[in-house]
Amino acid sequence: MVVTSLEGLSDSQKEDLVASLCCLVIGDECDAEKLAAVADASGNTLSTTMATLFSGVVSLAPKKLESFTPGPGGGGGGGGG
């Protein structure tokens, strides 16, 4: 999904985007408090539930944040035909 404007996103989609970007800013050491602080500093809001959810997912991933950000050349789907 390419986002060129936040106006077309629902509140839930905006919160998902804010949480995801905050995780990228913080890195592997993210916790709910840091996520909320980065969101606030950027002029956005992040509910405690979403901050806890995203920090928990990153902390439980085998390679932390790297699990969600594969390097270049990771391969993609083959052509269809």
Side-chain angles (χ1 to χ4, degrees):
M1 172 174 84
V2 176
V3 177
T4 57
S5 172
L6 298 180
E7 292 177 13
L9 299 177
S10 68
D11 289 343
S12 175
Q13 290 172 318
K14 287 179 190 176
E15 195 169 32
D16 285 349
L17 180 61
V18 168
S20 298
L21 294 174
C22 289
C23 285
L24 291 174
V25 168
I26 296 168
D28 290 341
E29 301 301 319
C30 72
D31 60 35
E33 290 178 359
K34 290 178 185 175
L35 287 174
V38 171
D40 288 341
S42 70
N44 293 286
T45 57
L46 190 59
S47 69
T48 304
T49 303
M50 288 300 281
T52 302
L53 174 67
F54 273 75
S55 64
V57 168
V58 171
S59 68
L60 293 174
K63 293 183 180 180
K64 305 289 184 217
L65 195 58
E66 188 179 341
S67 297
F68 307 101
T69 56

